[in-house]
């Protein structure tokens, strides 16, 4: 058992840490304030080769895998969860393509993501079907004019990067619209330029501003047969893709917690109170210590989950381990950001300090790609089924 990163991953960590300190940190507050897409950071990530970390070398990526992307996102998220989300979007929509896509699909859509010449987004949620994915209403009916083709109609919502994307991974019902069976749902690659594809309302978010979240409108969009991902009725693909994403989302939580705690620790070491500094009080020290323990525990869970996912271990029996990482790290982000605000007192509540931004950004993480409650359900199901057991 070796807990050391490989030389390649350690160098990646050092490189991204410097880049995040030099390029991301100075921009984080402005991005949050204006809500404008940080194209400059996208170009920084592109030039540093970070957009293809999880994409195999055969398709223009570096092949660093989910663990490599996890490490990079952790460093970036210390300063900006918006920037971290930009890196996450190199894997979320491409995951189903890499897992079950045809060779033609991989050759056509993955190299552009790695090179930064195209962007993608992931369409699963709908207004009435967030955690209840089987309740989606987007329909795909056979195209009468093209054998094997489909016509998609519906609305996807809460899609991160919806305005910037050139193509989308979209899930729709190909079976009975009232059916809740998994084989009634199929994944498609939908290009932004196709007739009937448009972006609807964009959301006004509490945090993680700068990468638009909003609606994708599909009005009788004709999808050719070669853009079906995997098999018709392959809803399991959505779950496999999301399972593999758990450590990547967890990395956003770890990085946020680290950034918040480090900032607050520096503050209490310098802030005088009652003839001492705030850091001299034992009660403050204990809170810092407890948070530090949780960060290290979250990192171990997350790195293990990323290691499992890179081995293809994101099927049912491995779900509890992946969900634990996402649950613990994202809930930790909420606690750590709350602690940071508290340690700074009134100052932490003001926009003079980034603690209030971390506090707002953290809430998103416990909701996206499976809420904390969904993760707890998956973990419990794993224990009850014996997938997670200790003898």
């Amino acid at each position: 058992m070796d807990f050391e990163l490989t030389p390649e991953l350690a160098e990646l960590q050092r490189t991204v840490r410097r880049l995040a300190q030099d390029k991301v940190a100075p921009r984080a507050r402005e991005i949050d304030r204006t809500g404008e897409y940080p194209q400059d950071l996208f170009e920084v990530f592109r030039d540093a080769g970070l957009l293809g970390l999880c994409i195999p070398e055969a398709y223009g990526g570096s092949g660093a895998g989910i663990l490599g992307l996890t490490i990079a996102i952790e460093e970036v998220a210390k300063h900006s969860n918006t920037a971290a989300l930009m890196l996450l979007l190199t894997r979320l929509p491409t995951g189903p393509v890499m897992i079950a896509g045809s060779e033609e699909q991989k050759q056509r859509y993955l190299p552009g993501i790695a090179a930064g010449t195209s962007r993608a987004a992931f369409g699963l949620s709908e207004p009435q079907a967030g955690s209840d994915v089987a309740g989606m209403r987007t329909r795909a009916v056979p195209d009468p004019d093209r054998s094997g083709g489909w016509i998609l109609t519906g609305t996807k919502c809460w899609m991160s990067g919806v305005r910037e994307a050139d193509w989308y991974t979209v899930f729709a019902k190909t079976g009975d619209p009232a059916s809740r069976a998994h084989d009634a749902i199929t994944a498609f690659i939908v290009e932004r330029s196709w007739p009937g594809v448009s972006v609807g309302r964009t959301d006004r978010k509490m945090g993680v501003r700068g990468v638009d979240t909003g609606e994708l409108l599909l009005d009788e969009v004709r999808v050719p047969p070669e853009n079906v991902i995997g098999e018709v009725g392959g809803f399991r693909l959505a779950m496999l893709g999301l399972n593999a994403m758990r450590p990547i989302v967890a990395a956003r939580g770890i990085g946020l917690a680290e950034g918040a705690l480090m900032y607050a620790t520096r503050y209490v070491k310098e802030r005088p109170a009652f003839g001492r500094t705030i850091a001299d009080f034992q009660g403050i020290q204990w809170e810092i210590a407890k948070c530090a323990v949780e960060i290290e525990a979250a990192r171990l869970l997350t790195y293990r989950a990323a290691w499992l996912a890179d081995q293809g271990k994101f099927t049912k029996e491995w779900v509890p381990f992946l969900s634990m990482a996402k649950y613990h790290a994202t809930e930790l982000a909420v606690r750590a950001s709350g602690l940071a605000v508290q340690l700074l007192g009134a100052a932490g509540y003001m926009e003079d300090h980034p603690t209030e931004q971390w506090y707002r950004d953290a809430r998103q993480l416990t909701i996206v790609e499976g809420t904390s409650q969904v993760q707890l359900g998956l973990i419990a199901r794993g224990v009850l089924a014996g997938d997670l057991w200790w003898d």
Side-chain angles (χ1 to χ4, degrees):
M1 184 178 294
D2 187 356
F3 287 95
E4 293 292 328
L5 297 176
T6 65
E8 294 80 10
L9 289 176
E11 179 58 29
L12 172 66
Q13 185 182 59
R14 287 190 293 270
T15 299
V16 179
R17 181 172 296 172
R18 290 193 299 268
L19 181 150
Q21 291 169 345
D22 295 343
K23 302 295 185 180
V24 177
R27 290 277 285 119
R29 294 295 277 164
E30 182 184 4
I31 293 167
D32 178 67
R33 180 179 58 81
T34 65
E36 294 176 359
Y37 184 80
Q39 177 65 25
D40 58 325
L41 292 187
F42 180 83
E43 293 171 3
V44 166
F45 293 155
R46 178 199 63 198
D47 296 344
L50 301 183
L51 302 178
L53 286 173
C54 66
I55 295 176
E57 293 182 42
Y59 308 108
S62 62
I66 290 173
L67 180 54
L69 183 57
T70 294
I71 290 168
I73 285 177
E74 178 187 350
E75 295 301 322
V76 171
K78 292 176 183 177
H79 309 285
S80 169
N81 241 274
T82 295
L85 176 58
M86 294 166 71
L87 291 179
L88 178 146
L89 287 173
T90 64
R91 178 55 173 77
L92 178 59
T94 63
V97 178
M98 288 192 280
I99 293 170
S102 66
E103 183 62 23
E104 179 187 359
Q105 289 170 349
K106 293 174 184 178
Q107 293 285 358
R108 181 173 180 179
Y109 292 103
L110 298 183
I113 300 297
T117 56
S118 65
R119 287 168 250 211
F122 184 82
L124 184 63
S125 295
E126 299 183 8
Q128 72 295 326
S131 296
D132 180 19
V133 175
M136 72 171 61
R137 297 175 184 173
T138 297
R139 288 290 319 279
V141 297
D143 186 343
D145 298 326
R146 187 169 188 178
S147 176
W150 296 85
I151 300 175
L152 271 61
T153 301
T155 299
K156 295 295 179 179
C157 67
W158 306 316
M159 287 183 66
S160 294
V162 64
R163 284 207 309 185
E164 293 80 29
D166 300 289
W167 59 271
Y168 307 92
T169 294
V170 173
F171 290 83
K173 282 195 173 176
T174 44
D176 180 358
S179 173
R180 297 186 60 82
H182 286 179
D183 61 4
I185 298 174
T186 302
F188 302 87
I189 298 173
V190 175
E191 297 188 13
R192 173 74 172 273
S193 61
W194 289 351
V197 179
S198 63
V199 173
R201 181 179 66 89
T202 53
D203 303 312
R204 298 179 63 185
K205 297 186 290 184
M206 181 171 76
V208 196
R209 298 168 181 158
V211 172
D212 285 309
T213 299
E215 294 178 329
L216 180 69
L217 308 180
L218 304 167
D219 182 13
E220 297 189 354
V221 178
R222 294 180 181 272
V223 180
E226 59 268 23
N227 278 53
V228 176
I229 306 175
E231 299 177 356
V232 173
F235 171 71
R236 180 171 175 267
L237 179 57
M239 295 300 99
L240 292 177
L242 290 174
N243 291 345
M245 287 296 300
R246 306 300 188 208
I248 297 174
V249 183
R252 294 175 66 194
I254 297 170
L256 189 152
E258 291 169 343
L261 183 61
M262 288 190 294
Y263 188 91
T265 299
R266 286 192 290 266
Y267 181 88
V268 298
K269 287 169 65 178
E270 297 172 356
R271 173 73 158 79
F274 305 102
R276 295 184 282 177
T277 68
I278 297 176
D280 291 326
F281 291 91
Q282 188 179 64
I284 299 297
Q285 294 172 4
W286 285 1
E287 294 303 315
I288 291 172
K290 287 188 287 186
C291 190
V293 170
E294 288 200 70
I295 287 172
E296 287 304 301
R299 179 183 290 105
L300 288 172
L301 282 172
T302 299
Y303 283 19
R304 180 184 67 174
W307 176 77
L308 289 170
D310 276 333
Q311 297 181 67
K313 295 179 178 178
F314 41 76
T315 48
K316 172 183 174 293
E317 61 270 32
W318 302 103
V319 163
F321 302 100
L322 304 170
S323 289
M324 278 192 282
K326 200 274 184 182
Y327 168 76
H328 183 59
T330 57
E331 289 290 339
L332 168 60
V334 174
R335 292 193 296 274
S337 60
L339 174 63
V341 170
Q342 194 71 22
L343 290 179
L344 268 69
Y349 195 70
M350 306 301 165
E351 291 186 357
D352 299 337
H353 296 275
T355 42
E356 61 85 27
Q357 178 186 324
W358 282 312
Y359 190 73
R360 288 183 286 105
D361 286 355
R363 292 305 317 178
Q364 188 213 40
L365 302 178
T366 63
I367 298 169
V368 296
E369 297 184 43
T371 65
S372 290
Q373 291 69 34
V374 166
Q375 305 309 321
L376 288 171
L378 293 170
I379 296 165
R381 196 176 305 162
V383 176
L384 293 169
D387 293 330
L388 175 60
W389 207 247
W390 298 275
D391 68 10

